[in-house]
Amino acid sequence: MNHILFFSAFLGVFILLHLYIWRRFVQKLDISEKTKLFFYIFLLTNLFGIAGYMLARYSLHIPNWLYFLFSIPIGVLFLLFCTAVVYDISRSLLQLVPLSQSRRNFFKKTLDISSFAAATALSLRSLYEARFIEVQRVHVHIKELKKPYTIAQISDIHIGGLIDEDFIKTIVQKVNALHPDIVVITGDLIDIDVSKAKEALSALKNFNSTFGTYYVVGNHEYFHGIETILQSVKSLGIRVLENENIYIGAEGEGFYLAGVYDIIGYRLKSHMPDLQKALHKTQNSPTVLLAHQPKFIEEVFDGVDLMLSGHTHGGQLYPFRFLVKLQQPYVSGLYKHNEKLQIYVNKGTGFWGPPMRLGATAEISEIIIFPQKKI
C-alpha cells in the first residue's frame, strides 16, 4: 500500500509538471500546430517513461539499456520545467516593455529559439557530465593531529539500475590508486533490495587501504531493509560505525573515526543517531565524524574536528542546488562551521534517478588531514 501511495503521489506531481511545460511553454511558442503536436507526443512519452522508471526501479527485472531509456525522462522533465519557468517569466516581462509590434515579435522569436536550444543543450551536457567521476583533493588542518592521513571518501553510490558491478569496480580502481590510509562510505550505498545487489556489493571488498574501510548508513538504506543491508556490508569485512568510534593509526599518533545513523531514524523511530554514544571516550583527541546528511552538524557542539557527509549530490542537476540549499546548510565542498569544526560534503560518487549531472560532477574525495599549523 505504501508503494502504491508513493507511486501515485509522485506520478501526480510529474503530471502537473508536464502540464505546466505544455501550457506555459510549448503552447506559447510561435510554432505550427503540427510541431506542437510533436511536442505533445514527446511530453506524453516522457511521462510514460517516468512511470516505467518507477516500476523498473522497484519491481521489474529489465536490461540496463532499457533502464537507461526509462531513467532519462526524469532529468529531461526537470530541465524542461526550469526552462519553462524562465521562459514564462521572460515572456511576461517582455509583454510589459513598450516596443513596436515588429520588435516584440523579433524578441519573442529569439526567446522561443534560445529557450528550446538551452533545454536541449543542457540535457545533452548533463548526460555527458554524468559519465565521469573526478577525484577531488582536499587539505584539512586538524588541531592536535600528530601526522598526516589520507581519507578516501565515497558517498551516495545508490547501487541499483545503472549503478552495477562494473560501476563499482571503476570506483574501487580509482580509490585504490590513491593509496589511502582509510576508505569511508558516507551513506546511500544501496537503493534496491540487497538480494539484487550482491555482485555490486561484493566488489567493495577489493578496496585497499592501510587501516580498512568504514561505512555509515544514509536515508535510502532505511527504505530497503536496513538490518539486512548492515549484515551484508559487514560480511564484506567493512566496518560499520553504528553510533560508535574506532581509533585510526598508532596509539597517540592517530585520530578517532566516529559514525552515526542517519537523522531519518528520528522520524522512523529506528536506528536513530546518538552522537554522545558515538563520541564515547574520544575527548581531547582529534576526531573525524561520519554523518550522511550535512544537516546533522546542527547537533554537533563539541568533540568533533571534521565531519564528512554526502546526501546532497551537490544538487546533481544545477538548478536543483538551490532547492537543496533550503533543506541542507551545506551543499558541496569544505566549510568552516565554527572555530573548531569543519565539514566536507561529497557531491556523490554515483547518482540517483537519471544518469545526468549538471554543474555537480560525481566525485571521489581524497581528503588529506594535516596537523594544525602553529602560529
Side-chain angles (χ1 to χ4, degrees), residues 111-175:
L111 178 63
D112 288 357
I113 295 172
S114 60
S115 297
F116 177 73
T120 303
L122 291 175
S123 295
L124 293 175
R125 178 65 188 181
S126 62
L127 284 167
Y128 176 79
E129 283 193 21
R131 296 172 57 202
F132 304 100
I133 303 173
E134 67 175 9
V135 175
Q136 188 72 44
R137 176 173 287 186
V138 185
H139 291 178
V140 182
H141 292 280
I142 293 182
K143 190 177 181 181
E144 306 300 334
L145 190 66
K146 302 297 189 235
K147 56 179 289 189
Y149 290 88
T150 299
I151 303 171
Q153 180 194 8
I154 59 176
S155 190
D156 300 271
I157 297 175
H158 293 280
I159 291 174
L162 299 174
I163 309 294
D164 56 10
E165 183 180 5
D166 289 337
F167 191 95
I168 300 300
K169 285 180 177 178
T170 299
I171 293 173
V172 170
Q173 183 180 21
K174 287 178 175 289
V175 167

Side-chain angles (χ1 to χ4, degrees), residues 263 293 295 298 311-312 322-329:
I263 57 177
Q293 297 193 43
K295 194 173 183 179
E298 297 168 359
H311 184 67
T312 67
F322 300 105
L323 298 179
V324 174
K325 185 64 177 175
L326 296 176
Q327 204 262 340
Q328 298 290 334

